[in-house]
Amino acid sequence: MSDATTRTWDAIVVGAGLAGLVAAHEAASVGRRRVLVLDQENRANLGGQAWWSLGGLFFVDSPEQRRMGVKDSVELAWQDWQGSAAFDRLDDEDSWAQRWARAYVEFAAGEKRSYLRALGLRSLPMVGWAERGDGSALGHGNSVPRFHLTWGTGPGVVDAFVPSVLEAESAGRVAFGFRHRVDELVVEDGAVVGVRGAVLAPDDAARGVSSSREVVGEFEHRADAVVVASGGIGHNHELIRRTWPTERVGPAPRHLISGVPAHVDGRMLAITEAAGGRVVNRDRMWAYTEGIHNWDPVWPDHAIRILPGPSSMWFDAHGRRLVGSSGVPGADSVGAMRQILATGHDYSWFVLTQTIIEKEFALSGSEQNPDLTEKDLRLLLRTRAAKGAPPPVEAFKQHGEDFVVADTLPALVEGMNRLARGPQLDLADIERQIVARDREVENGFSKDVQLMTIANARRSLTDRLVRVAKPHRILDPAHGPLIAVRLNILSRKTLGGLQTDLDSRVIGPDGEPVPGLFAAGEAAGFGGGGVHGYNALEGTFLGGCIFSGRNAGRAIARG
């Protein structure tokens, strides 16, 4: 492919991440269109940040749920989605987002599973329970377990689409332009007709590693349709802080670590806006409160999220236990964020035991779960069933800068105070709160919200067997040593984005589709400019890329 000359394609996809691959798969392999896929990174990054994910997928009333005795339905899932999204801009920015949300819930209960299984994707039989809720039936959270973990994690999701796209490449229906950075969408007579940009210097950097931005050439390509599938703003800390929802959750964190690679810069949002697309819900984003610094980083500020079970005690920077349902790990991410940032500090603490870390700590990221990612059943049984924490978790416990391990509470609090970026913790106050909680474990009854949540969780077969530790006293030496983890704010997903209709056509300021312009994945707020509203139910990001990329590709396939 010549870099400087103009060629005409049926479609150009900007971004070789999951949404872009799905769009190319549908347009080229199903619709037989000629598709050019451009990406500023090299071929090693095929699949984008989805490759790094844990591979969680949201299904409704699946066979896996039914085998576990979970009764789910479209009505219950839609109730949960609406309670979490809290759409309040229905006359404007949420007008298409709500329609996408309803369509996605129906997709998750219908075609989604068979669509993915036909492409070779399989889920583990145990269904997880993410975002367990804010304590209200009509509020945020999943009423039942819906988190289906892909066998193969993120790479397994990406690999469902890669073979067909590479086959189309071999047949000449798909071409890739790696190290091609799109700087402009070409607009003629109000329609998007192509792209212009810079050819970047060859760089054989490994997946996720920051690459050169040296420009060595220019390009321009024309097409009947352009799909923007370039991701969100997750590593653009300046843009995150500029659009941070201060009034809703508190001040933007001063110390922010990144859950996505450096190339997730959000630059295509402004470029598409300049071409007539409308960006909505800029103030909605999904950051995590359980971020830890990676002791073996791949990209700058590389962070890992702890996917916690519900048993760790959660304290703010002053040493006060977080209250209510949002003080239960894994229950209400935004509610926890509000409590943490209300202190004027941007970190918090887990206090737990060895028993809890062994059963309840999982780490986000395909690379942190080699047994699942490599589909190694022997390794899975050896590492998950054996005594001790899974090796990646144990490595963070030993090497991670956010971890403190001690045999006694005084020694633990002393170590926490060495790590504190704010106030020094008072040993007597921490001990008082832990002892009060421990007294609640003495019998099967409790007024402690966390212990009630644990009891409810252990009614789930997955939680009881592999996810939630049997309740015990934190200060019981038999369950030691004691562990504290300093938790940092971790950037991850953009919930707002380019507004699109259900064919993934980008909407302009006049409310009408911009001719020739489509968007999919995180760049489109996973559909409609913000399908999640204010909160996510988890397992919905990869699915949003698949659903919106599929809709874009099918629309292009229809011509």
Side-chain angles (χ1 to χ4, degrees):
M1 183 178 65
S2 174
D3 293 327
T5 60
T6 298
R7 289 186 63 180
T8 301
W9 303 84
D10 293 321
I12 296 171
V13 177
V14 183
L18 178 59
L21 287 175
V22 176
H25 159 77
E26 290 286 342
S29 302
V30 179
R32 314 293 289 185
R33 303 294 181 181
R34 295 178 65 252
V35 181
L36 172 63
V37 182
L38 302 175
D39 199 286
Q40 64 183 349
E41 300 305 314
N42 62 24
R43 188 179 282 265
N45 287 274
L46 192 65
Q49 66 190 86
W51 189 92
W52 296 99
S53 74
L54 188 59
L57 291 169
F58 177 96
F59 291 103
V60 176
D61 191 28
S62 69
E64 291 80 10
Q65 287 176 298
R66 294 195 292 271
R67 282 194 290 268
M68 287 179 52
V70 175
K71 295 181 179 180
D72 201 3
S73 66
V74 170
E75 292 75 19
L76 182 60
W78 180 231
Q79 175 178 295
D80 288 346
W81 196 291
Q82 291 181 96
S84 296
F87 293 122
D88 58 3
R89 301 166 182 172
L90 293 175
D91 294 333
D92 187 23
E93 296 183 82
D94 287 335
S95 59
W96 281 105
Q98 187 184 52
R99 279 177 270 188
W100 270 92
R102 177 68 191 191
Y104 180 70
V105 170
E106 292 175 352
F107 177 62
E111 183 188 355
K112 181 180 179 182
R113 187 174 184 274
S114 60
Y115 175 74
L116 292 173
R117 286 180 70 84
L119 294 167
L121 188 145
R122 298 292 183 271
S123 299
L124 293 178
M126 309 298 278
V127 183
W129 197 351
E131 289 295 298
R132 298 165 190 260
D134 64 3
S136 168
L138 289 173
H140 168 63
N142 287 292
S143 297
V144 297
R146 296 191 177 106
F147 191 89
H148 296 65
L149 191 59
T150 300
W151 184 231
T153 67
V157 177
V158 171
D159 286 346
F161 298 94
V162 166
S164 68
V165 176
L166 295 185
E167 181 181 343
E169 182 185 22
S170 297
R173 294 192 305 276
V174 168
F176 285 99
F178 292 106
R179 303 296 290 161
H180 280 57
R181 185 187 69 200
V182 173
D183 296 325
E184 180 186 358
L185 299 182
V186 181
V187 180
E188 293 179 356
D189 297 325
V192 172
V193 298
V195 297
R196 295 190 186 102
V199 180
L200 303 180
D203 191 325
D204 60 357
R207 181 186 291 272
V209 175
S210 297
S211 62
S212 168
R213 289 295 179 262
E214 178 188 355
V215 175
V216 296
E218 298 177 343
F219 68 87
E220 177 176 332
H221 292 287
R222 298 291 180 113
D224 298 326
V226 174
V227 183
V228 177
S230 53
I233 67 172
H235 202 104
N236 189 334
H237 291 190
E238 188 276 329
L239 188 54
I240 289 172
R241 291 190 173 97
R242 192 194 316 161
T243 54
W244 185 264
T246 301
E247 292 185 4
R248 194 169 70 251
V249 302
R254 292 184 294 274
H255 185 83
L256 185 65
I257 49 182
S258 300
V260 294
H263 60 75
V264 186
D265 52 22
R267 61 190 305 275
M268 279 304 300
L269 292 176
I271 291 169
T272 308
E273 193 171 25
R278 186 184 184 212
V279 178
V280 296
N281 298 313
R282 298 175 194 267
D283 61 325
R284 296 179 185 171
M285 59 190 72
W286 193 244
Y288 290 114
T289 55
E290 311 98 337
I292 51 176
H293 298 83
N294 195 341
W295 65 274
D296 187 21
V298 176
W299 55 77
D301 306 311
H302 187 182
I304 298 296
R305 184 203 175 197
I306 296 171
L307 284 74
S311 301
S312 298
M313 293 189 71
W314 204 345
F315 297 90
D316 67 20
H318 294 281
R320 298 174 300 218
R321 190 178 177 194
L322 270 61
V323 300
S325 296
S326 59
V328 179
D332 178 9
S333 292
V334 173
M337 182 80 75
R338 289 193 194 98
Q339 291 197 54
I340 292 164
L341 296 180
T343 66
H345 303 281
D346 53 18
Y347 67 98
S348 60
W349 300 97
F350 276 169
V351 172
L352 58 148
T353 65
Q354 180 67 25
T355 296
I356 292 172
I357 201 172
E358 288 180 6
K359 194 159 190 178
E360 297 197 6
F361 267 37
L363 300 174
S364 66
S366 54
E367 83 284 9
Q368 300 298 327
N369 297 273
D371 48 356
L372 300 174
T373 301
E374 297 167 14
K375 303 181 181 180
D376 190 331
L377 186 57
R378 288 185 183 176
L379 182 61
L380 174 68
L381 294 174
R382 188 167 68 247
T383 59
R384 307 278 171 161
K387 184 173 176 54
V393 174
E394 185 64 30
F396 268 89
K397 177 185 158 190
Q398 293 182 14
H399 305 296
E401 64 182 81
D402 297 299
F403 284 73
V404 180
V405 182
D407 290 324
T408 66
L409 188 60
L412 187 79
V413 173
E414 181 181 351
M416 294 166 72
N417 281 330
R418 286 195 296 269
L419 293 185
R421 295 196 297 266
Q424 294 288 284
L425 303 173
D426 180 76
L427 170 61
D429 191 37
I430 296 290
E431 184 175 31
R432 176 183 63 82
Q433 295 175 84
I434 295 177
V435 169
R437 180 264 186 203
D438 280 358
R439 290 193 185 107
E440 297 279 317
V441 184
E442 296 298 322
N443 59 65
F445 303 95
S446 177
K447 66 179 181 181
D448 187 283
V449 171
Q450 183 176 29
L451 292 177
M452 289 190 288
T453 300
I454 293 169
N456 189 40
R458 285 178 60 83
R459 295 174 63 190
S460 160
L461 181 61
T462 298
D463 281 349
R464 187 168 67 253
L465 292 179
V466 300
R467 194 72 176 103
V468 180
K470 186 176 181 180
H472 59 274
R473 291 184 292 113
I474 297 292
L475 296 181
D476 183 349
H479 294 277
L482 293 167
I483 302 163
V485 187
R486 181 183 61 184
L487 305 173
N488 310 272
I489 307 299
L490 176 151
S491 68
R492 185 63 68 86
K493 298 298 182 185
T494 311
L495 297 188
L498 293 161
Q499 192 173 46
T500 56
D501 67 10
L502 287 173
D503 282 329
S504 292
R505 297 182 299 175
V506 175
I507 304 299
D510 61 356
E512 296 297 321
V514 178
L517 183 58
F518 298 75
E522 194 171 351
F526 301 96
V531 68
H532 297 92
Y534 289 102
N535 294 281
L537 290 174
E538 292 293 359
T540 53
F541 298 121
L542 296 176
C545 290
I546 292 167
F547 188 49
S548 59
R550 166 184 169 275
N551 286 13
R554 289 186 175 183
I556 292 167
R558 292 194 302 268

